[in-house]
Amino acid sequence: MFPFPGGLFYGEAMTGIVIIGGAAEAHELARALPGAHVRLPTRERVARRWPGPVSLGPVTADWLRDSGARVVVEAGHPCDVETAFAVARAARATGLPLLQLVRPEWRPTRRDRWVALRDVRAAAEVIPARARVLVATGRAALPGLRALRAHVLMRRIGGGQAPFPLRRGRYLPADGPFTVAEEIRLLRRERIDWLMVHNAGGPGGWPKLEAARRLHLPVAMIARPRRPGGPRVASVKEALAWLRMHNLSDG
């Protein structure tokens, strides 16, 4: 158990709390803690209005020291383990208490046709050649699909003219959020045979899974990578309770 510094709660105002953003839960937590500093390791694809101070850049031990952080809540994307481990190293180097806020994974029902995969590269072992696949894993995953002999389609949020990095496939320019009806229309229009997603959990990506369910399409569900050890909660409510409990324990 980390010794938890006192003096973080002043009525509704907060001081010394750093929230590492990336997931929707980071924004929800920041709204509950308007005095907290939000650090975004990468620029948001769709900018939000944050209630308090925000900075953009990597999370390092030097930055944590300079920020005056007393406690860190890592609420990055559940599959962004690069950020998770960087934050863990920085917190360990500075001796700061660290809490991970990671929402639960999606769970299949009897109506779903999910194929669990250990990583993106494993998709080549189960998706047949010449299949049409809608990949919703983010562009960073595309190099891992080079062995896939299927036709890959991926949404590109915000436009741009970068060439598609795979031999078979293309970007689909689009801006969300998307409803279940819109996802069904897309899957039908593009004659999609498979859907591929990371198991990110949460409501944001669920419409495409519901659409695949209704159309009886198989889903390649990429497992979450291993995350650092340490205290972890699954909701903003639990994160707030953890912060309050430790603050009270220090008197």
Side-chain angles (χ1 to χ4, degrees), residues 30 53 111 114 118 176:
R111 297 172 56 203
W114 294 7
R118 64 186 181 275

Side-chain angles (χ1 to χ4, degrees), residues 34 40 47 55 62 112 139 147 170 213 226 238 245 251:
L40 301 175
S55 63
D62 286 342
D112 292 306
R139 292 195 294 272
R170 58 187 170 89
R213 174 190 294 167
R226 181 180 65 87
E238 291 174 308
M245 178 181 67

Side-chain angles (χ1 to χ4, degrees), residues 112-118 126 194-195 197 218-223:
D112 292 306
R113 299 175 58 197
W114 294 7
V115 179
L117 301 179
R118 64 186 181 275
V126 298
W194 279 75
L195 174 65
V197 298
V219 177
M221 183 62 69
I222 311 301

